[in-house]
Amino acid sequence: MVATHDPSELDPIVARYPDRRREHLIPLLQEVQDHCGYLSHDAMITVASALGLPVSKVYGVATFYNQFRFEPRGKVHCQVCRGTACHVKGSAHVLDTLERSLGVSAGHTGKDGVYSVEVVACMGACGLAPVVTINDTVHALVTPDGAKRLARVAAKQEAHRDDD
Amino acid sequence: MTTEPAAAGQRRPAAAPDHTLASFVTEVLADPSTHDRPALRRLRRENVTRPTFLIGAGTCGLGAGARDTRDAIYAFLYTHHLEADVVEVGCVGLCSAEPLVDIQLPGRTRLSFGPVRPGDVAELVDAVLWGTVPTDARLLGQHTQPGLIPWDGVPRLADHPFFAAQTRWVLESCGLSDPERLDEYLARGGYRALAKALREHTPEGVCDMVLRAGLRGRGGGGFPTGRKWELARAAEGTQKYLICNADEGDPGAFMDRAVIEGDPHRLVEGMIIAAYAIGATKAYVYIRAEYPLAITRLKKALAQAEAAGILGDDVLGSGVSLHIAIKQGAGAFVCGEETALIHSIMGRRGMPRPRPPFPVTSGLFDKPTVINNVETLANLPTLVGRGPEAFAAVGTEGSAGTKVFALSGDVVRTGLVEVAMGTSVRDIVFTVGGGVPHGKGFKAAQMGGPSGGCIPAQHLDIAVDYASLQEVGAMMGSGGLVVMDEDTCMVDVARFFMDFIQRESCGKCIPCREGTRRMLEILDRITQSRRDETGSDALKRFRRVMYLERLAEVIKETSLCGLGQSAPNPVLSALRWFRDEYEVHVFERRCPAHVCKELLTYTIDPERCRGCGLCAKECPTGAIIGERKKPYTIRVDMCIGCGNCLTACRLDAVQAA
């Protein structure tokens, strides 16, 4: 994950949308977020100038949608599904346990950058509720303790990878 | 038929070159008699030449560990030097038995097993290859395949309670064929309906057929699809658009995801038929970014269809032109509303606008636009293929055809269920779903998500069709059906939906933006402890509760779009059927289902407590006192009812009442 980036690295992404049309705004923001992990102020300014829009409009659109993040993801990114089925099966508890044990509140990244926790509306795996994804791997039928364990294991693996 | 290399990690060969694929498509679609050709029968796996393993690999299957099971099968085949095909198919719908594995041996009928964990693979595969079927709980049944030798003593899958009551049209091929292959879809009769529509019917004719069949929108509103198309046809303008709404925002519904993951070509075919009928040359699929697998499979299907001449400037040589683009949603529930969705595609904040003008006259880029839901479009191949009369013959008057429900929550068998309209909710929950697990009592079934309501036990025999559901204050919605057992608190569920809606409210109109927040505050008050209440707070709480219903009615009547107009439904429905539960919360300050944490009183059972101190460590207010190895106690005056101690205790010594 790139924490800071220089504006020129977004050039190839921006170059894919040469016709400066408003309808490209959301796809462009999505690609920038895929690349950087989040939308920084600089990135939004780059996008705005690429499409010839005021930065305020870009910011307005970006903050409207749940998908966009404005701080970098942690190395271990936990998404907790809060759909109806997951709620009935106790996902509030799972979220609560993760927040407390990892010391990160939902929608944020910890100060050390290891964990980030995010709430998603529904992942569509309701038959296997409650569902948690950790670094985009879906885990079904999790318990609060299980989720905590999965996050810790993922963090260890990440630390290992950094050592190598 | 392409064969799968029997070693882990190897992928199947790339698709055939374009011209051969295009001529294959032309030849298959030339006339109906090609359906029985041996090459197509092989693609349908009516018989196989070597052992074949089919693994359910939808998002739910993968979440349950389908990849690990697949790798275990690869490893088994590799170590035993066996030649076999391993195919990843879509989801057959029985989520609770994931990971699902089907095994088909040459000359024998196909067997279904689930759940199959990696550790089960060796024993299971070994037994089946030796010709014996382990008859334990994992055996789901065998498929019905005429001409093949059935397995003795193995029940038919069609008789399995989960499948017996279903009428599978939209989900016909889900879980049976490889969703990433166009040739398998063709072999199963795919794109024949499209060819028929292009050759035998005019656009008006197709429109008329859909109108006669009585197909209604499956996304929630239930507007007659044919009527919508007629309005768009009548609208002036040369450029018209079709949008497929795959922004399945209802938390608790996943049928659109499963259809796209399991049978993407069916949606593509439906979209081409719809575009032909309304005269659209450009179509969009607005799909949630939260469904990466569905997006990948749909992209692949679109590329295949384009390469084969099914999509593009000359659809199947008919001169009709259609291009389909994918637009990824960015996570906003309100974008399920038509005008908000259009704004989102145009790169704006997804906020609805007042109607009229309706999108059918002035929609995307101010051009006439038809927006149909995934399931509606996926019904079209069946509707056109079988004819409108056959389609209307299933279901009830006013609600023709089938409906897919996403059955989840406190029910034995969860998953995707497709039943004829008019089936009772009881049949879905108890026959197909197998009832409530752990011997608990049934309390309610929530239908229609944040816009719907719940069906209490006394109305379980109600038929699922648009009109009947509305009578009891629920709605079809997109088809989420969450079963709740006696341990569910209905006030908490209403609060959950209100919390969801007020976060997702776009903020444009005041009744929805402010009203839903006030409703949430009232529900919060009901479910919170009164420990912090001072002065006239209790009086205020009562006054607010009295306003709850009136506020709900005002929001319903004055909101701008469907989201706001239906937002109070979960609360109103819960008030209608479970008023006593609200009253217990308000007057007696307790939660009968023991869910609302703050209304519980926590105590430590001195008999069970060993004095480990875990609870005291987790208590945020230091309300738990005691010394190690002796029973701890909770100071009621300091307890804020967070419930941390309850989760922390491993000896069940903390009790909540």
Side-chain angles (χ1 to χ4, degrees), chain B residues 344-523:
Chain B
S344 178
I345 291 184
M346 286 161 49
R348 294 166 192 279
R349 288 162 73 99
M351 287 172 154
R353 61 162 173 77
R355 300 180 298 178
F358 286 93
V360 283
T361 52
S362 174
L364 188 61
F365 307 115
D366 299 327
K367 302 283 192 291
T369 307
V370 165
I371 302 175
N372 283 142
N373 164 267
V374 172
E375 199 189 328
T376 316
L377 292 165
N379 262 300
L380 294 172
T382 314
L383 191 156
V384 174
R386 295 183 186 221
E389 288 73 27
F391 188 88
V394 171
T396 61
E397 201 179 322
S399 305
T402 62
K403 178 76 192 93
V404 184
F405 288 99
L407 188 61
S408 60
D410 297 314
V411 63
V412 174
R413 285 184 287 268
T414 56
L416 274 193
V417 179
E418 184 174 2
V419 291
M421 293 269 194
T423 309
S424 74
V425 179
R426 185 185 298 278
D427 277 345
I428 300 176
V429 174
F430 287 90
T431 312
V432 178
V436 180
H438 314 302
K440 297 241 173 83
F442 170 91
K443 188 172 215 170
Q446 214 285 341
M447 284 181 89
S451 315
C454 51
I455 298 166
Q458 67 265 33
H459 285 291
L460 262 179
D461 287 310
I462 196 167
V464 286
D465 63 48
Y466 292 96
S468 318
L469 287 175
Q470 238 153 28
E471 268 170 39
V472 294
M475 67 182 268
M476 189 78 81
S478 50
L481 205 168
V482 184
V483 181
M484 300 173 198
D485 69 9
E486 60 194 16
D487 288 345
T488 315
C489 169
M490 297 315 287
V491 181
D492 175 67
V493 171
R495 207 198 76 85
F496 163 79
F497 281 121
M498 228 49 237
D499 180 48
F500 177 79
I501 285 288
Q502 67 86 24
R503 269 189 286 118
E504 293 294 334
S505 173
C506 77
K508 182 163 181 167
C509 74
I510 298 159
C512 176
R513 184 185 66 217
E514 297 298 327
T516 55
R517 179 152 296 188
R518 294 292 94 80
M519 281 182 77
L520 176 66
E521 280 172 6
I522 296 172
L523 291 170

Side-chain angles (χ1 to χ4, degrees), chain A residues 17 21-27 30 34 53 56-57 59-68 79 81-89 91-93 96-97 100-101 119-129 131 136-141 144-145 148, chain B residues 59-64 95-96 98 250-254 257 284 286 288-291 327-332 334-335 344-351 365 407-410 414-415 482-484 488 492-493 496-497 500 503-504 506 597 618 644 647 650:
Chain A
Y17 300 94
R21 297 220 324 249
R22 175 78 185 253
E23 57 170 306
H24 297 318
L25 176 55
I26 294 172
Q30 283 168 333
D34 277 350
L53 288 169
S56 60
K57 291 269 178 206
Y59 188 72
V61 168
T63 49
F64 183 84
Y65 295 98
N66 297 330
Q67 191 192 4
F68 299 116
Q79 292 175 305
C81 179
R82 288 289 282 128
T84 318
C86 288
H87 177 75
V88 171
K89 292 285 201 173
S91 68
H93 231 75
D96 196 45
T97 310
R100 273 192 299 118
S101 60
V119 168
V120 289
C122 184
M123 291 185 232
C126 314
L128 299 162
V131 184
D136 300 323
T137 311
V138 182
H139 299 278
L141 299 167
D145 277 347
K148 192 165 78 182
Chain B
T59 297
C60 37
L62 296 176
C95 294
S96 48
E98 304 268 18
D250 168 5
F254 54 94
R257 171 186 69 69
Y284 291 93
Y286 187 82
R288 303 181 71 195
E290 287 94 333
Y291 290 171
K327 282 274 177 184
Q328 286 188 36
V334 68
C335 287
S344 178
I345 291 184
M346 286 161 49
R348 294 166 192 279
R349 288 162 73 99
M351 287 172 154
F365 307 115
L407 188 61
S408 60
D410 297 314
T414 56
V482 184
V483 181
M484 300 173 198
T488 315
D492 175 67
V493 171
F496 163 79
F497 281 121
F500 177 79
R503 269 189 286 118
E504 293 294 334
C506 77
K597 283 199 233 160
E618 292 288 327
N644 286 359
T647 20
R650 299 184 194 282

Side-chain angles (χ1 to χ4, degrees), chain B residues 46-60:
Chain B
E46 284 182 15
N47 199 355
V48 290
T49 47
R50 53 187 198 171
T52 305
F53 297 86
L54 301 107
I55 300 161
T59 297
C60 37

Side-chain angles (χ1 to χ4, degrees), chain B residues 20-278:
Chain B
T20 41
L21 190 59
S23 59
F24 176 67
V25 170
T26 323
E27 208 182 315
V28 170
L29 297 180
D31 68 290
S33 67
T34 54
H35 194 68
D36 290 325
R37 289 202 189 156
L40 296 192
R41 297 173 76 123
R42 266 203 305 281
L43 277 173
R44 288 198 292 274
R45 294 194 195 83
E46 284 182 15
N47 199 355
V48 290
T49 47
R50 53 187 198 171
T52 305
F53 297 86
L54 301 107
I55 300 161
T59 297
C60 37
L62 296 176
R67 284 272 149 82
D68 296 336
T69 302
R70 182 199 64 184
D71 291 343
I73 293 176
Y74 276 138
F76 181 87
L77 297 173
Y78 185 72
T79 46
H80 292 79
H81 305 285
L82 291 168
E83 291 274 303
D85 293 331
V86 180
V87 186
E88 285 184 30
V89 294
C91 173
V92 77
L94 187 52
C95 294
S96 48
E98 304 268 18
L100 284 156
V101 174
D102 280 16
I103 306 176
Q104 189 171 356
L105 301 184
R108 306 299 301 265
T109 55
R110 184 169 160 180
L111 293 163
S112 278
F113 297 94
V116 181
R117 312 252 167 248
D120 304 338
V121 166
E123 167 219 357
L124 181 75
V125 175
D126 196 52
V128 174
L129 290 178
W130 282 103
T132 50
V133 183
T135 50
D136 55 22
R138 283 170 308 179
L139 174 67
L140 298 171
Q142 60 178 329
H143 288 241
T144 313
Q145 289 166 306
L148 299 183
I149 308 164
W151 296 82
D152 283 338
V154 177
R156 286 179 348 126
L157 194 64
D159 295 334
H160 189 283
F162 184 79
F163 295 101
Q166 295 196 45
T167 310
R168 290 168 76 95
W169 283 1
V170 170
L171 303 177
E172 198 181 359
S173 312
C174 282
L176 299 180
S177 62
D178 186 341
E180 300 195 358
R181 286 180 55 179
L182 172 62
D183 52 358
E184 286 200 18
Y185 182 68
L186 279 168
R188 290 182 172 273
Y191 289 114
R192 280 184 200 272
L194 171 66
K196 185 175 152 192
L198 292 173
R199 278 181 209 142
E200 297 171 19
H201 299 280
T202 58
E204 297 87 16
V206 177
C207 206
D208 183 55
M209 246 197 304
V210 173
L211 207 56
R212 271 190 292 141
L215 175 65
R216 294 172 65 172
R218 301 290 195 242
F223 192 79
T225 307
R227 181 86 196 101
K228 198 186 250 184
W229 290 4
E230 269 184 349
L231 291 169
R233 285 187 54 77
E236 281 176 32
T238 44
Q239 176 68 60
K240 289 174 187 174
Y241 292 105
L242 170 75
I243 298 174
C244 167
N245 184 353
D247 188 49
E248 196 170 38
D250 168 5
F254 54 94
M255 60 285 296
D256 294 353
R257 171 186 69 69
V259 169
I260 298 175
E261 281 176 5
D263 206 3
H265 281 288
R266 174 175 277 273
L267 174 65
V268 177
E269 182 175 4
M271 284 185 75
I272 307 174
I273 295 173
Y276 172 65
I278 59 172

